[in-house]
Amino acid sequence: STGIQHPGLIYTSDMSSDDLPLISLSSSSSFINIRGVGLVTLAYFVLWYAFLIRQSVVKFQLTKRLKAQDKKFNRYSLADPHPRMLNADRTVGNTMEQGIPFLVCLWMHALLVSPRSATYAGAAYIAFRALYPFVWGRPPWLFLSTIPGYILIWYLGGSVAWKLLW
């Protein structure tokens, strides 16, 4: 059978158009280019791991400092709260809470609506998310990180819903 060739892929004539891939990492392809969305996803995970590492560093620093004072570290103590620890915990927690909606909406938008607008919205989301540890505990400054992030998630998901329903 005759084959259709694409860099790295071979298709046979007995394949229907439904069997052909819709996505590509190549910008010179007529397929949907998802490279930008892939980079946004990578940036999200780099930021998330940076937040996780920061959380661990803060915990170890506080534990060491309090041990030198013959005190026991309890990150959940309401009587002796540790603002840096709470900041690090909430940064990780909020990032995880919003991570699933963000990533699902990002990829559905890229595949069903537009990879370009998903890339731009995703990059903006990462930038606003990176502000979170600097503005946490400082309302109204906190809203400079959270509200734009929520709006971007709703934009990505809402446009997918619109595309699927209408």
Side-chain angles (χ1 to χ4, degrees), residues 81-97:
H82 301 282
R84 286 181 54 225
M85 190 75 253
L86 190 54
N87 177 296
D89 285 344
R90 284 310 311 142
T91 298
V92 168
N94 192 267
T95 301
M96 289 174 52
E97 291 160 8

